[in-house]
Amino acid sequence: MNRIISPSLLSADFSILKDQIEIVKNAGAQRLHIDCMDGHFVPNFTFGPFILKAIRKLTDLHLETHLMIDNPSNYFDDFISAGADTLIFHYEASNDIRKDLEYIKSKNIKCGLALKPETDYKVLIDYIDVLDYVLVMSVSPGFGGQGFIEDTLIKMEQICKLCLENKRRDDITIGVDGGVNLSTIKRVYDTGVDVTVVGSGLYKAENIVERFNELQICE
Ligand code: DX5
Ligand code: ZN
């Protein structure tokens, strides 16, 4: 898998959510990125499994669910039964990362680990055998529309290399989340990652379909 855009619903207009999902699906999106924030792990509050369940009813797209919450394992079952296809929690929030990754996998969905910009990529080494997805944060988690942190580009390359060296590059999807837009997307993909999460850089465009196409061909 490579060069996949995952539209982040955080920047969508929730008063017309069905339309906003259909627009990106018709433009060619295969997955959606869902940001769940608890007001503790990050200084912002969004929504939980109840809304994910409603989104699930609206679409058959792959739902990658990004938990920015404390004690994530307390809520895994709720998010899994609400319809998450990939469930991503934060390295910085979990007390037992291996156990949490294995639990999610045991439920026959993909498990993912997100790293804040300041977290060293080497923390992934211990879990490289079990990971399905790595989410590299290129902004501090919590809000859409922030500026891209350039330093994280090196980390993206390091993570691609790490997966390759461990013969896991074909099995692990590497995603990048935050500040991806027309001016940064090429440099992000050039590091070798597979998925770019795009929120404001897509949904705030005047013409969302046009922007999706522009992002896709940004060479
Ligand atoms: C930030 C979220 C992102 C957010 C990205 O904490 O995890 O998924 O939607 O938004 P943009 O693309 O606007 O930076
Ligand atoms: Zn996210």
Side-chain angles (χ1 to χ4, degrees):
M1 181 199 298
N2 61 25
R3 302 209 161 197
I4 302 280
I5 294 171
S6 185
S8 172
L9 289 186
L10 188 62
S11 292
D13 181 346
F14 267 66
S15 67
I16 48 164
L17 189 57
K18 194 169 190 276
D19 292 356
Q20 299 267 283
I21 292 173
E22 272 166 15
I23 287 170
V24 294
K25 183 177 180 182
N26 293 337
Q30 299 162 13
R31 52 172 62 213
L32 294 172
H33 185 87
I34 318 286
D35 286 309
C36 304
M37 309 188 191
D38 67 352
H40 291 273
F41 181 71
V42 288
N44 192 11
F45 211 101
T46 55
F47 45 75
F50 181 79
I51 300 293
L52 181 66
K53 196 171 173 186
I55 295 169
R56 178 78 288 166
K57 281 190 192 165
L58 295 175
T59 185
D60 55 5
L61 290 178
H62 185 105
L63 300 179
E64 52 170 61
T65 306
H66 178 192
L67 302 182
M68 284 162 277
I69 63 175
D70 279 332
N71 304 312
S73 61
N74 290 354
Y75 303 94
F76 286 165
D77 285 339
D78 293 340
F79 282 102
I80 292 165
S81 54
D85 295 299
T86 296
L87 191 56
I88 305 158
F89 61 91
H90 264 266
Y91 169 81
E92 304 84 3
S94 166
N95 296 320
D96 194 334
I97 290 158
R98 175 163 290 274
K99 186 172 162 212
D100 287 353
L101 290 169
E102 282 174 350
Y103 183 78
I104 295 170
K105 262 174 113 83
S106 76
K107 300 293 171 182
N108 292 319
I109 64 164
K110 304 281 186 195
C111 65
L113 195 59
L115 302 184
K116 284 185 176 184
E118 63 273 22
T119 301
D120 196 315
Y121 81 98
K122 288 189 183 133
V123 302
L124 296 172
I125 292 170
D126 288 345
Y127 314 106
I128 201 87
D129 59 309
V130 65
L131 282 165
D132 295 313
Y133 191 111
V134 174
L135 187 66
V136 188
M137 294 299 302
S138 39
V139 298
S140 288
F143 299 91
Q146 302 182 75
F148 183 79
I149 301 174
E150 299 283 334
D151 287 355
T152 59
L153 286 165
I154 298 166
K155 191 156 132 184
M156 294 166 204
E157 282 172 5
Q158 289 166 327
I159 293 171
C160 292
K161 192 161 166 255
L162 181 74
C163 294
L164 199 63
E165 285 168 356
N166 286 275
K167 303 196 173 23
R168 293 279 291 144
R169 188 62 194 93
D170 291 340
D171 309 308
I172 300 177
T173 301
I174 304 172
V176 172
D177 187 9
V180 180
N181 53 39
L182 282 177
S183 35
T184 56
I185 194 165
K186 179 183 172 349
R187 281 179 297 142
V188 172
Y189 279 135
D190 283 350
T191 67
V193 301
D194 309 295
V195 174
T196 57
V197 176
V198 190
S200 54
L202 175 64
Y203 273 115
K204 301 298 180 202
E206 199 123 302
N207 185 323
I208 295 170
V209 175
E210 222 167 75
R211 178 61 61 81
F212 189 91
N213 293 333
E214 285 168 345
L215 286 161
Q216 253 184 342
I217 57 162
C218 227
E219 293 291 343

